[in-house]
Amino acid sequence: MSSSVIKAGFIAAAVANISGVLLFSKGLTNTVLMETDPVVMSSFGLIMIMVWGLAYLAAAFTQANLKWFAAAFAVEKLVYVICWLTWISSHSLSDVYQQDLFAGIFYGIYGVNDAAFMLFFVWVYLKSAKAPVDTART
């Protein structure tokens, strides 16, 4: 398992969370995005997504075994994937696109993006679980 690939993956997850929220929420001003799913994507919810991004960034620069960080991050992403699947199955994406292009793009891709990073975090967990424990790094 290449530590540079893992580090890059954690940084990519951080960038996706932080810049994705800032871009698609138009700097936390996109009311259509927030009102479309006010429970998960409220202004507080969007800020917390960016906080998770900061956690991914911190993990990218951590020298310790990332096994349990990756497991926690995988569960967190699973929760968002389930929220997205629930939302997408009961709402009209085209209605959101008609109200705001950025909100439409966001709701169209966020679950797929989270699923991809969930699989990455699962991969890191599984690779870390098989790796010998380096007690000097933990």
Side-chain angles (χ1 to χ4, degrees):
M1 165 173 49
S2 169
S3 62
S4 62
V5 171
I6 292 171
K7 182 177 183 177
F10 277 92
I11 291 170
V15 168
N17 270 43
I18 297 166
S19 66
V21 164
L22 289 173
L23 174 69
F24 293 109
S25 73
K26 301 175 184 177
L28 300 174
T29 65
N30 189 337
T31 56
V32 172
L33 191 143
M34 292 181 234
E35 291 169 359
T36 298
D37 189 352
V39 173
V40 178
M41 298 302 167
S42 64
S43 59
F44 175 78
L46 293 173
I47 290 167
M48 292 312 299
I49 290 169
M50 291 190 298
V51 169
W52 277 108
L54 292 174
Y56 306 150
L57 192 59
F61 294 97
T62 298
Q63 295 299 311
N65 184 318
L66 295 173
K67 174 182 169 182
W68 294 111
F69 285 106
F73 295 155
V75 170
E76 176 260 342
K77 288 298 187 187
L78 175 62
V79 169
Y80 278 98
V81 169
I82 291 169
C83 288
W84 179 75
L85 288 170
T86 302
W87 184 90
I88 205 90
S89 69
S90 61
H91 292 81
S92 169
L93 191 54
S94 63
D95 288 348
V96 180
Y97 269 103
Q98 288 176 1
Q99 294 176 62
D100 183 81
L101 176 64
F102 279 56
I105 293 170
F106 179 84
Y107 281 100
I109 65 172
Y110 98 77
V112 175
N113 177 73
D114 283 348
F117 282 112
M118 178 187 70
L119 293 174
F120 167 74
F121 292 136
V122 167
W123 175 78
V124 171
Y125 170 80
L126 293 173
K127 291 291 186 183
S128 297
K130 292 179 185 177
V133 176
D134 182 357
T135 56
R137 292 181 65 192
T138 56

